[in-house]
Amino acid sequence: MDGKTAAIGRDDSWSMKVQPEVRAIEGYPVVLPCSFSHPNHTPHSSLLVEWRQGSTLLYHCTTHAGSPACEPAPHQDPRYRLEGNPREHDLSLRINSAALQDGGRYYCRVKLPGHKHASYEDKMGTLLRVEAPPRILSLSVEGSEESGFSALCEVEGSPLPDIQWISPDQLLKGVEVGWPLGQGSPSHHHTVSQLQNIHPGQQYTCSATNPLGREQATLYVLPPRREASPGTSTPPLLLLLSLSLGAKALLLGGLGVWVLQGRAPSGLSCR
């Protein structure tokens, strides 16, 4: 992808070059390129380098005369470090183990102490897109025998996964219900699909797909147990959760248990 050049401030002898957009895969490092030029800056000049995500300052370091390194601020998050050499006008930032929440717009800034109009920043910034294969975060059942049972499938991924519900012999239509109540703020990397009117004695598969892969989880809903005779014990009935993987999807696995005894509490979750 071609870079772009932005002259910032009133001194047109400055220029800064960044990438308009950078893509990363979750869990892998990514580098955000940034370089600058200014005729008054020499390899021996001091300077201050800053990177921010939106309005949040993520990284800053300072070079000093006679020192080859750019010294990070105290308590700097070690996930961030300069990939480039500021003395060679390279301010590129490396982010180790990119996460979905790292996505957003980043801005590179440089300051030259002792020079007029000494602070410059790229105004357009670099858009970082972090991509991840689908992950099924939870599969749960809610409702009662009186009101009916529904299955909820909570999924994370980028691009946002497409969710399908499958029974052994047909595709079923789910309803997107957004972010689960009580579990933080909505995110464009998360979605929850609800399958209504599920029936004991059946199995239902939640399948999440995006360009990076596919993941599936299957519920086996067993009928509620009958009331035991006095003095006898009846083993609990189980709802089993299994996960199957598509190409390039991350390996996950789990087993959940749900007991149906007449009335089931709402919001039972198998994680």
Side-chain angles (χ1 to χ4, degrees):
M1 186 180 297
D2 293 335
K4 62 179 179 181
T5 301
I8 306 167
R10 291 172 291 172
D11 187 348
D12 59 9
S13 61
W14 275 88
S15 70
M16 186 171 283
K17 187 176 182 181
V18 301
Q19 292 280 58
E21 182 176 307
V22 173
R23 293 180 179 269
I25 300 297
E26 183 186 39
Y28 290 87
V30 61
V31 174
L32 306 180
C34 177
S35 61
F36 75 98
S37 63
H38 190 281
N40 294 328
H41 176 255
T42 70
H44 303 290
S45 300
S46 296
L47 54 80
L48 174 65
V49 179
E50 294 181 350
W51 276 90
R52 60 184 176 87
Q53 181 187 20
S55 60
T56 302
L57 181 64
L58 296 178
Y59 180 90
H60 68 283
C61 68
T62 306
T63 64
H64 301 283
S67 174
C70 193
E71 181 178 347
H75 312 297
Q76 173 65 55
D77 187 337
R79 284 205 312 130
Y80 306 102
R81 67 175 177 84
L82 282 191
E83 182 77 0
N85 184 349
R87 296 198 179 281
E88 297 177 357
H89 297 186
D90 188 351
L91 311 178
S92 300
L93 180 72
R94 176 187 176 95
I95 304 175
N96 289 318
S97 190
L100 285 174
Q101 55 267 33
D102 290 325
R105 193 164 295 276
Y106 289 73
Y107 300 90
C108 176
R109 187 176 188 181
V110 60
K111 297 180 181 179
L112 299 183
H115 292 282
K116 190 177 181 181
H117 312 311
S119 176
Y120 278 76
E121 179 180 289
D122 176 70
K123 290 183 176 179
M124 299 301 295
T126 296
L127 179 62
L128 174 61
R129 298 186 185 274
V130 181
E131 300 181 343
R135 273 196 303 273
I136 295 178
L137 302 179
S138 69
L139 198 55
S140 61
V141 175
E142 64 179 15
S144 66
E145 286 190 297
E146 288 77 12
S147 63
F149 295 104
S150 297
L152 292 173
C153 185
E154 180 186 357
V155 176
E156 177 183 69
S158 179
L160 190 66
D162 176 63
I163 299 177
Q164 288 186 321
W165 290 93
I166 307 167
S167 72
D169 55 357
Q170 63 179 326
L171 289 175
L172 304 173
K173 184 175 179 59
V175 178
E176 186 175 342
V177 294
W179 186 257
L181 293 177
Q183 295 191 23
S185 302
S187 165
H188 59 280
H189 303 306
H190 292 78
T191 187
V192 178
S193 180
Q194 180 185 58
L195 181 64
Q196 299 174 337
N197 301 319
I198 65 173
H199 303 289
Q202 302 293 325
Q203 73 177 44
Y204 303 92
T205 296
C206 173
S207 177
T209 307
N210 74 6
L212 278 74
R214 182 181 72 252
E215 184 165 275
Q216 295 185 164
T218 299
L219 290 173
Y220 298 88
V221 186
L222 300 187
R225 67 183 183 181
R226 296 180 180 275
E227 290 295 331
S229 300
T232 64
S233 61
T234 305
L237 296 177
L238 304 181
L239 175 147
L240 303 180
L241 166 64
S242 66
L243 293 171
S244 61
L245 306 177
K248 301 183 181 179
L250 299 180
L251 178 61
L252 295 175
L255 176 65
V257 178
W258 179 38
V259 182
L260 278 172
Q261 299 183 9
R263 292 187 178 183
S266 64
L268 292 177
S269 178
C270 303
R271 291 182 181 269

